Amino acid sequence: MGRVADGGARRGAATDPASRHRVATAAWVALAIGAAIGAGALGGALVGSGLGVRIGATATRAGADVAAVVCVGLTLLGLLLPLGAVSLPGAALRDLVRVQRRADRVLVAAAGAWLVLLVVGVALRAADALGRPPLQLSAGEVTAWATRLGAGRGMLLAAVCAAAVLGCAVARVRRHDAVPVRVAALVAVVGTVLPALTGHSGADPDHQLAVVAVALHVGAAALWVGGLAALLVLVARHRALLDNTLPRFSTLAAGCLLAVAASGVLNALTRLDGWASLWNTGYGGLVVAKTVLLGVLAGLGGLTRRRLLAGRTPVLRWAGAEVAVMALAVGVAAALSQTPPPDGSHSGHGAAPAAGHADHAAAGPTGELNLWAVQSGALGTVVVDTRYRLVYRNDRDSPRPPTSTCLDAACTGTWAPLLTDGLPVVGRGVDQARIGALDRPDGGRQVTLDGWPLYLRVGEAPGLATTGANGTDGVWFAISPTGAKAAPG
């Protein structure tokens, strides 16, 4: 597969492969976003708040994932290309310089898109969690979601990484040796992994195992997908560079394939309630779809690399098919990150918990106590506290005047009053005028909502992990932002 020279009568031909690559790249991105939306609809990730907000949140998540993978691939290419350069002929060395410069320019665009999509995604995810259109949110509410809740902090830290990669890329465009490419590569991988670490894995009962598995899974997948796409678009036309780079990437890709497969199995084991969950839950169906795509990728990967090494054409058709399947897998993975697992470790409609799984008898955060209005599947819109625990009301209590009947140790040992301890109580999607407090006989100051005293269920983990307490004894119910009882769970 020869190179096309610049200039002269063949200038039009020289731009044709580049044009085809741009069209193919746009198609891959569209495929990933379309797969995310379609898989989200089938898996149950698009229910809860407004459909438009959910579609937008899923699309921006998929787009950000694609941009992050591109950044990882471009920086990986920057690490692979110089190796063995001394053995390249002079013409190939000139191609090497051109490809490196082009990779840096594309990295600027990819990192910029990644940053923008993450910022937009934060606003959409906050709107989804609060159940209101993005334009109706205050800057304080969006900031609080992004800084106080696990999923928000993950996206915010990823945005910081995207901005750092963008800065590195701009510096390298101005002077190629201004920033070592390995610095940008490390930051890109970290930024790619962060949102996944603060999603399902942050609330998983097997927390340590889940974190290790998801980090390995996302990191290996990004190196594999991004590296192949970068080789295909930027290097495939330069035979000498391809011969120099492909063997090392093939070894890396084989390791990434094994890591993705092993970590995928671990992720499934920590999220699924048995094998039946693969067939009778939306989350399980997406796991099956992703597994099938992984198998197809393994076959296409071997075929593509054999064709590239043999110089058989058209390369784009086969390697492009592999990247297309990868784009589908990225889309399914994005939908999977938004879909509630059957083990209940993620609500699917809000954010991951801001803290760990320690149980507390009463709320005792520092700074202020937030009451958030969030979507919670079958319960509809409910209220959670600062640590993202469900808040309950008792039908035996009275809102007019606010009166608690849960006073003895037998009751408070299970249903802990939500106490302010002098802290300010701030509504996040909850009307501040409905929030109040009452003085308990023991001297505590209990928070009320529309007059109803509020409680936490002792032992219930953060992150809306359980909803079985709703309707307990026919009197204990999760509370809505208006003070009404939540729908039966």
Side-chain angles (χ1 to χ4, degrees), residues 35-446:
I37 295 173
L42 294 174
L46 300 185
V47 298
S49 58
L51 180 62
V53 172
R54 291 297 297 167
I55 290 176
T58 301
T60 54
R61 173 60 187 262
D65 286 350
V66 170
V69 167
V70 170
C71 290
V72 171
L74 290 169
T75 53
L76 174 63
L77 187 63
L79 293 172
L80 292 175
L81 279 174
L83 298 177
V86 293
S87 63
L88 293 174
L93 286 174
R94 289 192 293 272
D95 288 338
L96 171 63
V97 172
R98 283 195 290 266
V99 168
Q100 288 175 328
R101 289 176 177 173
R102 186 181 176 195
D104 288 337
R105 291 194 297 269
V106 176
L107 184 60
V108 171
W114 185 16
L115 178 60
V116 170
L117 287 166
L118 284 170
V119 172
V120 174
V122 165
L124 289 173
R125 289 289 300 278
D128 175 42
L130 298 176
R132 300 206 312 277
L135 295 180
Q136 292 183 12
L137 299 180
S138 68
E141 288 174 328
V142 176
T143 301
W145 185 89
T147 57
R148 295 178 183 274
L149 300 179
R153 289 201 298 265
M155 293 183 69
L156 189 61
L157 290 173
V160 172
C161 290
V165 173
L166 177 59
C168 291
V170 170
R172 286 177 59 83
V173 167
R174 293 179 176 177
R175 197 180 80 234
H176 183 67
D177 60 350
V179 179
V181 70
R182 61 180 177 273
V183 173
L186 177 61
V187 176
V189 172
V190 171
T192 303
V193 169
L194 278 172
L197 292 181
T198 54
H200 296 306
S201 61
D204 198 280
D206 299 313
H207 178 73
Q208 290 82 5
L209 178 61
V211 166
V212 172
V214 77
L216 181 62
H217 190 78
V218 174
L223 289 168
W224 179 20
V225 177
L228 179 63
L231 281 173
L232 178 61
V233 173
L234 296 178
V235 180
R237 289 185 297 144
H238 306 286
R239 183 67 200 179
L241 295 183
L242 187 64
D243 289 342
N244 180 263
T245 307
L246 190 58
R248 289 190 299 274
F249 175 75
S250 295
T251 301
L252 175 64
C256 288
L257 172 61
L258 293 176
V260 169
S263 58
V265 172
L266 285 176
N267 282 326
L269 291 176
T270 59
R271 307 279 173 73
L272 296 173
D273 293 331
W275 293 108
S277 298
L278 288 172
W279 319 111
N280 58 21
T281 66
Y283 186 90
L286 294 183
V287 170
V288 171
K290 192 175 171 185
T291 302
V292 171
L293 291 172
L294 180 63
V296 173
L297 281 173
L300 282 176
L303 177 62
T304 298
R305 277 178 281 280
R306 282 198 300 270
R307 284 182 167 267
L308 285 172
L309 284 172
R312 298 172 62 186
T313 58
V315 173
L316 183 59
R317 177 180 300 171
W318 294 98
E322 184 177 358
V323 177
V325 176
M326 287 177 169
L328 287 173
V330 170
V332 171
L336 203 58
S337 70
Q338 306 272 82
T339 304
D343 68 355
S345 63
H346 191 285
S347 70
H349 301 287
H357 292 274
D359 300 328
H360 295 276
T366 59
E368 69 181 27
L369 172 62
N370 290 169
L371 293 181
W372 290 82
V374 300
Q375 296 287 336
S376 182
L379 296 184
T381 304
V382 295
V383 176
V384 297
D385 76 337
T386 301
R387 293 186 60 237
Y388 229 64
R389 296 172 291 183
L390 278 172
V391 175
Y392 295 87
R393 51 167 275 186
N394 180 3
D395 275 4
R396 296 193 182 102
D397 292 346
S398 170
R400 305 286 187 275
T403 305
S404 171
T405 60
C406 185
L407 302 175
D408 58 32
C411 182
T412 58
T414 302
W415 302 97
L418 182 62
L419 305 177
T420 69
D421 293 335
L423 300 172
V425 183
V426 178
R428 304 291 184 182
V430 178
D431 186 355
Q432 194 72 36
R434 294 180 182 271
I435 300 174
L438 63 87
D439 292 320
R440 294 178 58 83
D442 60 6
R445 186 80 171 157
Q446 184 173 5

